[in-house]
Amino acid sequence: MAKGKVKIVEVGLRDGLQNESTVLTTQQRFELLEKLIAAGTKTFEVGAFVSPKWVPQMAVSKELTDLVLKKYPDQKKFHSSVLVPNEIGLKGAMETGIKEIAIFASSSETFSQKNINCSIEESFQRFEPIMKIAKKNKIKVRGYLSVCFGCPFEGDVPEKKVVELAKRLYKMGCYEISIGDTIGVATVNQVDSLFKKLKKVVPIAKLAGHFHDTRGQALANILEAYKVGVRVFDSSIGGLGGCPYAKGATGNVATEDVVYMFNGMDVITGLDIDKLCEINRWLEPQMNHALSSRVGKVGRLKV
């Protein structure tokens, strides 16, 4: 009998692809999503409604979202979402009929300026009209909080700051707050300490873990967050992605690796490990480089 259940949020199509040098076509992205859905994926990011001048990888987000919602219109069964940075992005997303968006804030001032060209306070001011419009139109909002465990410009990030910002996002109306180790510096002690503080101000069921595997600690950190009570984790097929501000960053933790670990713990993910590994082998040649997933390379043990 399974010991528990987790929700895996597939971020490969957005957070994964946005930092890749190879640009996949709309059709390639749609085919990737269809394969992910066939492997059991129910919750996924489709893209981002941002300026293609700043993030060219996301230029096809509207076209892709239209395709996805046409094929998978039941948004209660298939939870598709897009990232929006401001009201303009929200209006573009709303034209597709999507019922979930994500907003993002930083835990450090310098990262906020480098990433979205404004202060933390200014970013929250931008969120206010977004939240108002979303509420009026019954659109769910997920909040991302980046560099929660360390900043490439400022170094250590005070836990108190992360807790304060997460609480603020929750009070604004975000149904879930994803706590990000954007540059992959977190250690298990940090994860234990921070999530124990976070769950005092935000219900643990409303918190998610978003770990990058830059230093090979992502699975250990996910396991630690699970022990604290976190049941939602972001991951990217094949470990796609990276961070432009972290030299050598290998990107998000790979979906296959996360599922393999939870399978071994008898924790239900709803995802088929063999199909995920097949996707890895299909995707790798299209990305023009080796994917970082360990399990994706070798699969599970079969006798």
Side-chain angles (χ1 to χ4, degrees):
M1 184 179 285
K3 295 177 182 176
K5 187 177 182 180
V6 292
K7 179 175 82 172
I8 305 294
V9 180
E10 177 57 55
V11 299
L13 284 159
R14 197 278 301 173
D15 196 31
L17 288 181
Q18 73 176 10
N19 287 310
E20 291 284 344
S21 53
T22 299
V23 180
L24 298 185
T25 66
T26 305
Q27 196 53 48
Q28 283 175 307
R29 294 172 200 229
F30 185 61
E31 190 174 350
L32 171 57
L33 181 58
E34 289 209 288
K35 289 178 182 294
L36 287 165
I37 288 173
T41 302
K42 292 281 195 299
T43 308
F44 48 85
E45 288 186 326
V46 179
F49 281 70
V50 294
S51 168
K53 176 185 174 184
W54 299 110
V55 192
Q57 275 278 17
M58 294 294 107
V60 300
S61 290
K62 185 181 186 306
E63 186 184 348
L64 180 60
T65 306
D66 284 337
L67 263 179
V68 171
L69 294 182
K70 186 177 179 182
K71 179 74 181 282
Y72 303 100
D74 186 350
Q75 292 186 64
K76 288 182 178 176
K77 183 179 179 183
F78 298 104
H79 304 274
S80 49
S81 68
V82 293
L83 195 73
V84 302
N86 48 38
E87 275 186 86
I88 297 169
L90 174 59
K91 285 171 184 173
M94 285 173 66
E95 287 173 9
T96 68
I98 202 156
K99 287 299 178 184
E100 183 176 331
I101 60 164
I103 56 176
F104 53 99
S106 172
S107 300
S108 86
E109 287 294 346
T110 311
F111 195 85
S112 186
Q113 291 286 355
K114 296 275 187 183
N115 196 32
I116 52 177
N117 302 306
C118 70
S119 68
I120 293 173
E121 191 54 44
E122 285 168 336
S123 71
F124 273 84
Q125 287 169 12
R126 290 178 186 177
F127 298 155
E128 287 176 11
I130 292 175
M131 299 304 292
K132 191 176 178 181
I133 296 167
K135 187 177 180 181
K136 184 182 176 183
N137 291 275
K138 296 181 179 176
I139 294 171
K140 292 171 68 179
V141 183
R142 190 178 201 239
Y144 279 103
L145 197 50
S146 59
V147 293
C148 296
F149 298 91
C151 171
F153 307 106
E154 297 181 15
D156 293 338
V157 174
E159 287 183 334
K160 187 179 176 183
K161 183 74 172 174
V162 178
V163 172
E164 170 203 318
L165 294 172
K167 183 180 178 182
R168 200 168 167 187
L169 284 169
Y170 180 62
K171 285 196 165 183
M172 286 185 88
C174 290
Y175 82 92
E176 193 169 270
I177 294 96
S178 179
I179 303 300
D181 181 20
T182 313
I183 57 171
V185 292
T187 62
V188 290
N189 284 353
Q190 274 185 294
V191 171
D192 177 72
S193 177
L194 180 58
F195 275 104
K196 280 179 178 173
K197 289 180 175 68
L198 283 165
K199 70 178 185 177
K200 289 178 181 176
V201 298
V202 178
I204 194 72
K206 304 290 184 182
L207 292 169
H210 183 109
F211 295 99
H212 284 234
D213 203 30
T214 314
R215 290 165 178 79
Q217 302 301 298
L219 287 179
N221 290 330
I222 288 171
L223 179 57
E224 194 65 28
Y226 180 82
K227 288 177 181 176
V228 178
V230 179
R231 294 295 180 268
V232 184
F233 297 98
D234 300 347
S235 65
S236 173
I237 186 69
L240 284 176
C243 177
Y245 307 115
K247 189 177 180 182
T250 53
N252 298 276
V253 65
T255 305
E256 310 92 290
D257 295 358
V258 176
V259 172
Y260 184 83
M261 180 184 78
F262 280 126
N263 281 357
M265 295 164 59
D266 291 326
V267 172
I268 296 169
T269 64
L271 299 173
D272 184 317
I273 189 69
D274 295 324
K275 287 182 179 178
L276 290 173
C277 292
E278 285 171 17
I279 296 170
N280 183 297
R281 291 188 285 273
W282 169 85
L283 182 60
E284 189 169 86
Q286 297 181 72
M287 297 311 303
N288 299 310
H289 68 79
L291 299 179
S292 62
S293 167
R294 277 79 159 179
V295 176
K297 285 182 173 64
V298 296
R300 64 182 175 89
L301 180 63
K302 295 177 186 177
V303 222

